[in-house]
Amino acid sequence: MLSEFLYGKIHRATVTEANLEYVGSITIDKSLLIASGIKKNQKVEILNINNGERFSTYVIEGKENSGIICLNGAAARKAQVKDKIIIVAYALLNEEEQKTFTPKIAHVDENNRLINIK
């Protein structure tokens, strides 16, 4: 049986841009994607710490080491620049994988620079 588990997380990222006119998605600094294991085009859930919003979208890879966290299209209505968010991705794991899998959790500072990975 497959069950859904946390796969990767970027914890307490700061929204740097909100672009209502873009087609949709979230643009994330490539270095944070690498650290968290989240992939471009992957579905992610966004949890807005400031206003309690929770929504899903997909990832666009942003410039490496840019610190960019940009909500695009309709998602731009769900958060404001400087809001703190948590970005999470999930994976379906079988019972054997569940025993050994450890998610990657990337902690960032107020400029979206990697502090550590747990």
Side-chain angles (χ1 to χ4, degrees), residues 17-27 55-58 60 70-79:
E17 300 174 45
N19 183 352
L20 186 60
E21 300 306 316
Y22 195 82
V23 177
S25 66
I26 184 169
T27 305
F55 58 95
S56 298
T57 190
Y58 66 93
I60 292 177
C70 179
L71 293 168
N72 300 301
R77 296 241 187 242
K78 301 286 190 177

Side-chain angles (χ1 to χ4, degrees), residues 70-110:
C70 179
L71 293 168
N72 300 301
R77 296 241 187 242
K78 301 286 190 177
Q80 297 181 5
V81 172
K82 297 188 180 177
D83 277 2
K84 293 288 186 187
I85 62 173
I86 300 168
I87 304 163
V88 293
Y90 302 97
L92 294 173
L93 303 177
N94 65 37
E95 291 181 22
E96 276 306 305
E97 292 168 321
Q98 293 170 27
K99 294 175 185 176
T100 59
F101 182 78
T102 303
K104 290 184 179 179
I105 301 174
H107 293 261
V108 298
D109 66 13
E110 62 278 350

Side-chain angles (χ1 to χ4, degrees), residues 22-30 33 38-44 57-63 68-73:
Y22 195 82
V23 177
S25 66
I26 184 169
T27 305
I28 302 173
D29 177 329
K30 181 179 180 179
L33 294 177
I38 298 172
K39 311 285 190 260
K40 70 178 180 178
N41 298 317
Q42 185 172 7
K43 180 181 177 180
V44 291
T57 190
Y58 66 93
V59 173
I60 292 177
E61 183 181 284
K63 182 179 176 189
I68 189 168
I69 300 289
C70 179
L71 293 168
N72 300 301

